Amino acid sequence: MVNSDYWSATDALGRKLPGVEATGSRRNGKKVAIFYWTWHSEPFVNYGTVGNVSEILKEFPEALKDTKHPVWDRGKGNNHFWEQPLFGYYRTTDPWVLRKHAEMLADAGVDAIFMDCTNYPFTWKSSYDELLKVWDKARQDGVNVPKIAFMLPFGPGKNSYEMIKNLYEDIYQPGRYPDMWFMWAGKPIIMAYPQSIPNDSDRVNQAMLSFFTFRPGQPDYVNGPNRKYDQWGWLENYPQHKYMERADGTCEEVTVGVAQNAGPLTNGHCSAFNLPGTFGRSYTFMNGQDMRPESYLYGLNFQEQWDRAIALDPDLVFVTGWNEFVAGKWEKGGSWTGEPFSFVDEFDSEHSRDIEPNKGWGNKGDVYYYQLIQNIRRFKGMDKQAGSSAPKTIVQGKTDEWKDVMPDYRHYRGNTMHRDHPGHADTKYINTTGRNDFVDAKVARDEDWIYFYIETNQPITRPKNQDHWMWLFLDTDRNKSTGWEGYDYLVNFNPPENGISRLAKCVNNRWQWNLTDNYSVTVKENTMTLKIKKSSLGIIADAINLEFKWSDNMQETGNIMDFYVNGDVAPGGRFNFVYSTK
């Protein structure tokens, strides 16, 4: 079984993920849900061109006060992103992106997503149909994918009723993907108002009322629950409230937000994000606005909210959010809106609340992803990896030699699918770099040698010159400040010839490698074994404590963000496997 608790990572700001020694053992019953947007689909993706607000205002700052400025012309569309997602301006019908999301959220420890259906009449059926299909396949491939649920409009009424009924009759009543439903209090949960459903003799209405656990959403960021018996929040200002508090002081749910589109001009209630003083990524209620350059990278607002949630210790933390990105440009319409127009939910790097990695921040585009993981580990606790097995001399080419070697570093099969799908507006994305699909890795050692084993889902391709074939990255001192992104050695930097290759050692702590000692490579069908002298890696005696990652078909060498996008890596992103004999 794949378990990301066993993995290590250090983000671009030097923040290392905590291990079980810091978090304690896993705490049963603790869950994390995240707000997820499936509205990157028809009809809103079909028109005009895409605009990137951050890029527009960097080049044309005067456009912020000019509704007629030509840079705002999106043709017939209103596709304004605060920044470009790492996977491009994608649609949430793109199976390649959906599979990436399934693995990233599973690796983070997210238990459930709540899809945004708060705007009548849209339930985004094309997106949730594709998501359910792709995530169910990922589940069968060994991914502990988040369960699914829906958040409907923030009030009862006929519109909400129609949406509840549509979802019930399309997904729940026919029993589509029941293993994917997020269960709460013994039933599938839906964030909707039960008063929307007439309590009459209609058979379907009675079935819906008894089928779901209802947790109506509180839209306000300030007031806290006004239905203490069943309501949940989705986003609040600090200090967040307890939702469904019990007599003993415990509670079901607490919200955590990256930032809040609210500020002093509206007494903390919802406003356009481009109003002055809104509570952006680097604002905290304890210390106010951090004025350092690029302060938005440090997640101060996010951390203040996580610290509050962990102190309140609910059953579930609801995080806002993963992948909204779109910031429609709207004309002024009230005291809570911007001048001369409003970007309500997303605006720029400071005034946005997405966690999914983005392109605009370069190699820091994933800092919120690892901050999310750090805090999920603090909240839920962690499992402990099994220790390393005893020293053993491995005969290369004999797979049976590895059966009793531990730990077993499992990874997901079936994730080297190719991409060919339209994005928002006039964009289109193709990616055919998926090739060797890593599914299992191991490490062994004896007195003089260290051995690495990798297994793929299908027979390993033959190496070619400059095709970045079956690379193994080694961080032998577990120190990110040494080597390229912490990696001190790159194995298979040059494809082997006649079973022999040479180690590449990083110099100058950047993407620069010098060839050093020889090592041997044995490939047999879908397995490969490397045999390397311990002394070649600076390993003394049996004291080994290293991190490693497998990568195949990297495209943009020297860019760590490539690990999310191209070929296959095990484990994903910045994660590393850990091998220690201590």
Side-chain angles (χ1 to χ4, degrees), residues 547-567:
E547 299 181 16
F548 68 99
K549 173 193 291 293
W550 285 94
S551 166
D552 181 67
N553 216 11
M554 188 180 199
Q555 298 296 297
E556 194 175 348
T557 57
N559 179 9
I560 194 169
M561 303 300 286
D562 190 90
F563 284 152
Y564 295 97
V565 179
N566 292 307

Side-chain angles (χ1 to χ4, degrees), residues 507-566:
V507 294
N508 299 322
N509 294 335
R510 61 189 184 193
W511 189 268
Q512 183 178 343
W513 307 91
N514 283 349
L515 298 180
T516 60
D517 297 346
N518 288 350
Y519 62 92
S520 61
V521 183
T522 302
V523 178
K524 184 178 180 182
E525 296 179 348
N526 68 326
T527 65
M528 180 169 69
T529 306
L530 309 174
K531 181 180 180 182
I532 305 172
K533 273 278 190 182
K534 283 180 171 182
S535 57
S536 297
L537 300 174
I539 296 173
I540 301 173
D542 196 44
I544 303 175
N545 186 24
L546 57 80
E547 299 181 16
F548 68 99
K549 173 193 291 293
W550 285 94
S551 166
D552 181 67
N553 216 11
M554 188 180 199
Q555 298 296 297
E556 194 175 348
T557 57
N559 179 9
I560 194 169
M561 303 300 286
D562 190 90
F563 284 152
Y564 295 97
V565 179
N566 292 307

Side-chain angles (χ1 to χ4, degrees), residues 119-137:
N119 297 288
Y120 174 81
F122 302 107
T123 58
W124 315 108
K125 174 175 165 56
S126 63
S127 287
Y128 73 64
D129 278 345
E130 190 66 32
L131 183 146
L132 285 165
K133 181 174 70 175
V134 171
W135 285 22
D136 186 61
K137 172 61 165 58

Side-chain angles (χ1 to χ4, degrees), residues 99 134-145 147 179-180:
R99 176 61 186 247
V134 171
W135 285 22
D136 186 61
K137 172 61 165 58
R139 183 181 62 83
Q140 297 174 46
D141 288 336
V143 184
N144 185 22
V145 298
K147 308 299 185 183
D179 292 332
M180 297 289 297

